[in-house]
């Protein structure tokens, strides 16, 4: 029950992040700043996997890992309630010049015409389905990495729990580092007009999906693998 409630609540995170980024990030800085924001995910996984291995091996045992992660999330939520704002206009901690720059860049002053939601057009749109399939694939790969790599390291490669955590964090460390490079690269090729915004995003999505997929397939070919990856 606890995991179900956690999953339901976590489902609000990505839509909220997208909305916040749309309100706060200037148009030609979106790729790198979005990468910076979402890079917190793999960085958290690096720290979590590395520290969880140590915590599970210490005298307090595995419950410490759950308590520690829950406490960090609780502290961050409290800070966000007091510091976070939905738009630059609502935040008292930024200068007038910065607020004007952001709002001008994202056309915040434009009037938005409120209409009914075009559900039929949404569900019959090929781009929408492409994004949906790509997102499902990304989450599938990410979940497989998070849940099965530690098991793979323990059961197949026979690493101890402390070493397991550190090594399992490796892919997410690379993920975190590459996020920044890709963010700057995508902004660069868009602002220079090398490719269109749509093409740049397709390239980034293709690399992000195919590369880890090939890596997972390669793991399945390792001799001695005795369970489904």
């Amino acid at each position: 029950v606890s995991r179900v409630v956690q999953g339901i609540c976590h489902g609000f995170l990505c839509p909220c992040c997208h909305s916040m980024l749309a309100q706060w990030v200037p148009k030609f800085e979106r790729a790198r700043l979005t990468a910076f924001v979402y890079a917190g995910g793999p960085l958290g996984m690096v720290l979590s996997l590395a520290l969880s291995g140590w915590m599970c091996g210490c005298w307090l045992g595995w419950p410490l890992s759950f308590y520690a992660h829950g406490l960090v999330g609780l502290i961050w939520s409290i800070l966000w309630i007091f510091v976070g704002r939905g738009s630059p206009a609502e935040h008292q901690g930024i200068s007038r010049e910065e607020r004007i720059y952001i709002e001008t860049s994202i056309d915040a002053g434009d009037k938005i015409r409120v209409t009914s939601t075009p559900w039929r057009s949404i569900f019959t749109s090929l781009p929408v389905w492409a994004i949906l399939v790509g997102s499902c694939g990304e989450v599938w790969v990410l979940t497989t990495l998070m849940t099965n790599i530690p098991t793979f390291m323990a059961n197949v490669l026979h690493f101890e729990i402390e070493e397991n955590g550190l090594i399992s964090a490796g892919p997410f460390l690379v993920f975190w580092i590459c996020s920044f490079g890709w963010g700057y690269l995508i902004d660069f090729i868009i602002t220079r007009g090398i490719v269109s915004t749509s093409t740049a995003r397709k390239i980034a999505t293709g690399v992000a999906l195919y590369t880890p997929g090939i890596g997972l397939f390669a793991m399945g070919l390792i001799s001695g693998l005795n369970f489904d990856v």
Side-chain angles (χ1 to χ4, degrees):
V1 175
S2 176
R3 292 293 293 171
V4 171
V5 173
Q6 183 181 5
I8 292 173
C9 295
H10 188 266
F12 293 98
L13 180 60
C14 284
C16 289
C17 285
H18 291 326
S19 177
M20 292 289 292
L21 289 168
Q23 294 293 325
W24 277 92
V25 179
K27 184 179 299 183
F28 293 109
E29 299 176 25
R30 284 180 180 169
R32 58 181 179 271
L33 290 180
T34 300
F36 177 79
V37 170
Y38 285 104
L43 177 60
M45 294 174 196
V46 170
L47 298 175
S48 175
L49 287 169
L51 294 176
S52 292
W54 171 80
M55 286 187 285
C56 290
C58 74
W59 66 276
L60 290 173
W62 62 265
L64 176 61
S65 176
F66 287 86
Y67 294 138
H69 288 84
L71 180 62
V72 171
L74 181 61
I75 293 173
W76 175 251
S77 298
I78 294 173
L79 290 174
W80 182 254
I81 290 172
F82 289 101
V83 177
R85 295 294 184 273
S87 67
E90 300 172 8
H91 203 292
Q92 303 299 320
I94 64 174
S95 65
R96 180 174 179 273
E97 292 76 13
E98 184 180 8
R99 178 178 61 80
I100 293 174
Y101 169 71
I102 295 174
E103 292 179 342
T104 302
S105 174
I106 63 175
D107 300 323
D110 292 352
K111 293 183 178 180
I112 300 176
R113 185 166 57 92
V114 179
T115 61
S116 59
T117 303
W119 294 111
R120 182 185 296 274
S121 298
I122 291 173
F123 287 112
T124 57
S125 170
L126 287 178
V128 169
W129 281 102
I131 293 172
L132 178 62
V133 172
S135 297
C136 289
E138 184 267 339
V139 173
W140 191 333
V141 169
L142 189 61
T143 304
T144 301
L145 286 172
M146 286 190 296
T147 57
N148 281 358
I149 280 187
T151 306
F152 177 81
M153 293 295 180
N155 294 349
V156 178
L157 302 182
H158 308 295
F159 282 100
E160 297 295 332
I161 190 168
E162 292 85 356
E163 297 174 318
N164 191 339
L166 289 172
I167 296 174
S168 297
F172 299 103
L173 178 61
V174 176
F175 182 4
W176 177 65
I177 294 172
C178 291
S179 296
F180 298 103
W182 269 104
Y184 278 97
L185 177 62
I186 295 302
D187 272 343
F188 175 80
I189 63 178
I190 290 175
T191 54
R192 293 298 180 92
I194 298 174
V195 297
S196 66
T197 301
S198 176
T199 301
R201 290 173 178 169
K202 290 174 183 176
I203 293 171
T205 301
V207 173
L209 292 179
Y210 286 118
T211 304
I214 293 171
L216 285 175
F217 180 79
M219 286 179 62
L221 301 178
I222 294 177
S223 176
L225 186 61
N226 55 11
F227 67 101
D228 293 331
V229 177

